[in-house]
Amino acid sequence: MRSTGSARRARWRSHHDAGLRPDRGARWDADAIRDDVGGFVVDRLGPDGVLIVDETGFVKKGTGSAGVQRQYSGTAGRIETCQIGVFLAYATPAGRALLDRRLYLPAHTWPAAPERCQAAGVPGEIAFATKPALATAMVPAALNAGVLARWVSGDEVYGQDPRLRAVLQERRMGYVPAIAGNRRVDLDGVQVSAAEVATHVTDRHRHRHRAGQGAKGPRWYAWARARIDQDEPDGYR
């Protein structure tokens, strides 16, 4: 994903010129532009960053937009008629920016309704994929394209998915996604919940880090590490 600014501009012109129609519209190659933007982001923000996966809701009033239905939107904080997009961001101390996106298509109301998909312009080969599955497609694609990330983060939606974890382990990528408090882990040969592990961490082993500004001031989080799965032959988590 390394390209010079002049090469990116030339590529944009070629996409743009090839897409011109008599009505002066333009057909964008969204994936090609995504790759160009990704190269620009990594050039500007530097290597050894963090890949972050998360979803965002877009409230809609109608029912014709691709993927729209009544579903929970974290953006709105409630169930709304909306679209859900899964996004991949890249962050370093120099800043953060989006790298990729995938539209989430609810199984029963979209992939199972080909006429509705056709009317909304959804390609016929698009099949249902969970949000973690969309993330599992985006993260390796970014790494294969040359994004020099050191680890991956996400919330519980992604932390609970074994396939995403398996892909990251295969790539020997560090990852720090959230998991449910009742998730069982092996600690010193004993099965305990993640919540129990957190409870036994003393205050002196916690490190407070600021996670940006919130509506009520700075958002502070307390972090600690506990070594689990010690008997794994290839290391530990």
Side-chain angles (χ1 to χ4, degrees):
M1 294 184 72
R2 301 288 181 175
S3 59
T4 64
S6 59
R8 281 193 291 269
R9 287 191 291 272
R11 188 174 177 184
W12 182 89
R13 284 195 297 271
S14 68
H15 291 318
H16 185 269
D17 294 343
L20 287 177
R21 299 190 301 236
D23 62 359
R24 300 183 65 81
R27 294 190 300 272
W28 289 89
D29 185 334
D31 289 344
I33 298 301
R34 171 205 62 196
D35 292 343
D36 283 347
V37 171
F40 177 81
V41 165
V42 176
D43 285 342
R44 289 299 182 95
L45 299 185
D48 299 330
V50 182
L51 288 172
I52 307 162
V53 291
D54 199 8
E55 72 271 9
T56 296
F58 304 91
V59 176
K60 297 286 184 177
K61 292 188 178 298
T63 59
S65 299
V68 70
Q69 78 161 29
R70 283 190 62 77
Q71 55 193 323
Y72 179 78
S73 166
T75 310
R78 58 184 179 274
I79 293 177
E80 284 278 4
T81 300
C82 64
Q83 294 170 302
I84 299 292
V86 179
F87 292 87
L88 180 68
Y90 180 72
T92 73
R96 63 268 189 199
L98 292 176
L99 287 181
D100 204 351
R101 77 285 175 256
R102 294 288 191 278
L103 178 65
Y104 172 70
L105 294 173
H108 299 297
T109 54
W110 282 93
E115 300 85 2
R116 190 181 187 191
C117 288
Q118 184 177 11
V122 177
E125 67 273 14
I126 298 296
F128 171 72
T130 64
K131 295 167 190 173
L134 296 175
T136 303
M138 288 191 290
V139 171
L143 297 175
N144 291 339
V147 176
L148 303 177
R150 295 190 64 186
W151 52 285
V152 179
S153 183
D155 64 18
E156 189 179 322
V157 171
Y158 307 96
Q160 68 185 3
D161 187 76
R163 288 164 296 182
L164 177 56
R165 294 198 307 272
V167 166
L168 295 174
Q169 288 168 14
E170 278 182 25
R171 301 293 294 254
R172 303 200 67 81
M173 282 290 296
Y175 58 93
V176 188
I179 59 173
N182 60 3
R183 174 71 185 274
R184 308 296 289 182
V185 297
D186 185 24
L187 184 66
D188 295 329
V190 180
Q191 284 278 321
V192 296
S193 71
E196 290 177 277
V197 176
T199 299
H200 288 97
V201 177
T202 62
D203 289 342
R204 67 189 181 89
H205 287 137
R206 293 191 177 274
H207 301 267
R208 295 179 75 238
H209 294 281
R210 180 174 171 175
Q213 193 73 11
K216 299 181 180 179
R219 294 179 298 153
W220 292 95
Y221 286 78
W223 289 79
R225 291 192 300 174
R227 179 169 171 157
I228 61 174
D229 297 335
Q230 292 181 331
D231 57 346
E232 288 196 349
D234 60 344
Y236 60 89
R237 288 182 255 171

